Every structure is written in structure tokens, then in C-alpha cells.
Amino acid sequence: MRLDKLLSDLGMGTRSEVKRYIRKGFAAVDGVKISDPGFQADPDGQKIFYLGKEVCYQKYAYYMLYKPCGCVTARSDGIHKTVMDYIREERKGLSPAGRLDLDTEGLLLITNDGHLSHELLSPAKHVKKVYEARLDGPVTDLDVKAFREGVEIGDDTPAKPAELSVSEEDASFVRVTVTEGRYHQVKRMFAAVGKQVLFLKRIQMGSLALDPALLPGEYRSLTQREIDELKKIESKRKMRYNTEI
Ligand code: URA
């Protein structure tokens, strides 16, 4: 990969700034000063130094954001703040994996690993998403049964079966687990049983749980273990494919 591209992708400066510094002799690869911005560097196999510091190149970045209510899940928006406005790191190539409504808060994965995003969002993968919801009235056993059977939400097909776990202290507070990501899915499922969602927060997506230490608007990088666990969706699919052929 070109040295100037590698360094600017890492947020070390714009391409032209990086080129200027490389030409001035502020970059070295494996101990040799490099002044050609087009030098082909191998970030996996070579030690790269820039402005006196070793550069740690990771192709993919994975962040867990506690999306606050009131911002849109988009890369840009003319009116509202977006989820990307919370990310201080170099944002090139990063995007949210999936969407949460303007008034929904909670776990949002932000990554440049398009393949993993695709796997997590693919309807065929049935990745579980867990939400906490407050309703405008108590949730009944009939609602639990209806969710388990799959409620009609006005689409061609009913919602897939979902699990409802009702709080013992307060029957208008629930945890709901769905395996789809249709538009306004949870709100429409509750509307189908005559209830309005007053508060909605995603707390889990696949194996990834929202870190309880994060406050709304805060984010952190995923740990290697969290990344590996999420990627198991892919390997499970590959294993299935291998056994089918
Ligand atoms: N279901 C909804 O209705 N809204 C969300 O933001 C997420 C799931």
C-alpha cells in the first residue's frame, strides 16, 4: 500500500500534508528513511515510523457507541446531529451497522468492516437484537403469546416470533428480543397489540452487549474478544455451507 495513503487513512493528516512530511524525511520503514510518498509499504510485515512514532496499522476499526436519543443514524444530515458526530477518530470509511430511530437510544456498532456489517444485518442470519422498552400500559400474557407467535405489522409477512420478558416490578417495562430489523420494527409490533412505545433502548446485537460503563454519546473500541465473537456469525455460516456441499 502507498505510504502516503496508509498514513492519511490512519488520520495522520490529509494526503498532501502527509506527502509533504514524507518528502521532508519524517517517515521510515524498517529503519530506512523513506522520502517517496508512493513507496509501497507492507503494514503487516514492516515497522513504519512517522513523525518519530511507530505507526500501528489496523485495517478495520470497530466502535461501540451508546447512541443518545435525538441524533440520526446516518453519516450526514442537514438538520440533526448524526451518530458520526460523536466519533473523534478518523471517520473515513466508517459507517453505522444498521439503524436506530431518532428517539431510540443504545447500542450501535460503527465500523469500516462492510463484510461484518452485512453479515450482522442480513435477514438470513437472524441475528438477535435485544431492546428495553417502556410502554404506555402494562404488557399482558396475551401480548407475550402474540409476540411469540409473530404479530401482523402491516407488511406482506408477519413479524418473526419475538421473546418478551416483562419486568416483575413494573409490567409496562419489558425486554424484547427480535431477530429482524424492519423499519420501526419494535414500535410497530407493540402498536399491533395496542401499545405505544415511550422509550426504546437497544442493549444487545448478536453477541455484543452495550457496555454499562458507557453514557449516552460515549463510545469505545471493541475488544479483540468482542470482535472474534461477532465474527463467529460468519464462520457458523461457512461451516453450514461446507457441510451442505
Ligand atoms: N425498532 C424500532 O421501532 N425502532 C428502532 O430504532 C429499533 C427497533
Side-chain angles (χ1 to χ4, degrees):
M1 181 174 192
R2 281 183 65 107
L3 186 56
D4 58 351
K5 180 171 180 347
L6 187 150
L7 293 170
S8 70
D9 280 0
L10 285 170
M12 304 277 173
T14 63
R15 195 78 172 256
S16 57
E17 282 164 355
V18 165
K19 274 185 181 162
R20 207 166 51 240
Y21 280 109
I22 296 175
R23 287 199 183 105
K24 283 185 180 169
F26 287 101
V29 176
D30 281 345
V32 179
K33 197 187 278 183
I34 302 293
S35 51
D36 172 12
F39 179 86
Q40 289 294 316
D42 170 9
D44 294 324
Q46 293 178 311
K47 273 195 182 302
I48 301 169
F49 277 77
Y50 181 63
L51 298 175
K53 285 200 186 126
E54 185 167 356
V55 170
C56 177
Y57 182 79
Q58 280 177 319
K59 192 169 175 199
Y60 295 119
Y62 304 87
Y63 300 110
M64 163 193 302
L65 169 72
Y66 184 158
K67 176 199 176 292
C69 168
C71 69
V72 289
T73 312
R75 283 186 55 84
S76 63
D77 187 87
I79 303 168
H80 298 97
K81 204 166 171 163
T82 78
V83 290
M84 299 309 292
D85 292 332
Y86 291 91
I87 307 295
R88 291 181 305 275
E89 269 76 6
E90 167 63 29
R91 292 188 245 159
K92 210 166 139 197
L94 288 176
S95 4
R99 299 186 77 250
L100 291 176
D101 296 337
L102 184 69
D103 57 354
T104 301
E105 58 180 65
L107 174 66
L108 194 67
L109 173 68
I110 295 187
T111 181
N112 56 354
D113 184 344
H115 182 67
L116 180 65
S117 291
H118 178 79
E119 293 287 303
L120 287 170
L121 301 175
S122 161
K125 300 292 150 47
H126 310 291
V127 172
K128 282 186 183 174
K129 288 130 203 146
V130 186
Y131 295 85
E132 288 180 348
R134 175 162 296 287
L135 291 312
D136 63 347
V139 174
T140 64
D141 290 347
L142 275 181
D143 298 334
V144 175
K145 185 166 177 285
F147 269 52
R148 199 172 285 148
E149 285 167 1
V151 285
E152 286 289 347
I153 56 173
D155 290 342
D156 292 344
T157 52
K160 290 220 157 57
E163 271 308 310
L164 265 182
S165 157
V166 184
S167 160
E168 284 179 10
E169 290 88 49
D170 177 355
S172 63
F173 191 77
V174 296
R175 264 190 189 183
V176 53
T177 304
V178 298
T179 57
E180 299 173 290
R182 300 193 207 178
Y183 179 67
H184 292 334
Q185 170 115 20
V186 174
K187 291 173 188 163
R188 288 197 291 149
M189 287 170 81
F190 278 108
V193 294
K195 289 183 177 70
Q196 195 192 341
V197 174
L198 305 179
F199 166 83
L200 191 59
K201 173 178 172 182
R202 182 157 67 194
I203 55 167
Q204 186 146 354
M205 185 172 183
S207 57
L208 188 65
L210 180 64
D211 185 336
L214 290 178
L215 295 172
E218 290 184 342
Y219 70 99
R220 68 156 170 84
S221 295
L222 296 200
T223 63
Q224 193 55 50
R225 180 187 285 228
E226 286 170 333
I227 298 168
D228 293 344
E229 284 297 317
L230 274 180
K231 287 189 173 174
K232 281 187 185 162
I233 312 169
E234 289 174 47
S235 40
K236 268 187 210 152
R237 189 178 68 121
K238 279 185 199 141
M239 271 161 50
R240 241 198 331 267
Y241 181 68
N242 284 342
T243 51
E244 274 166 15
I245 53 175

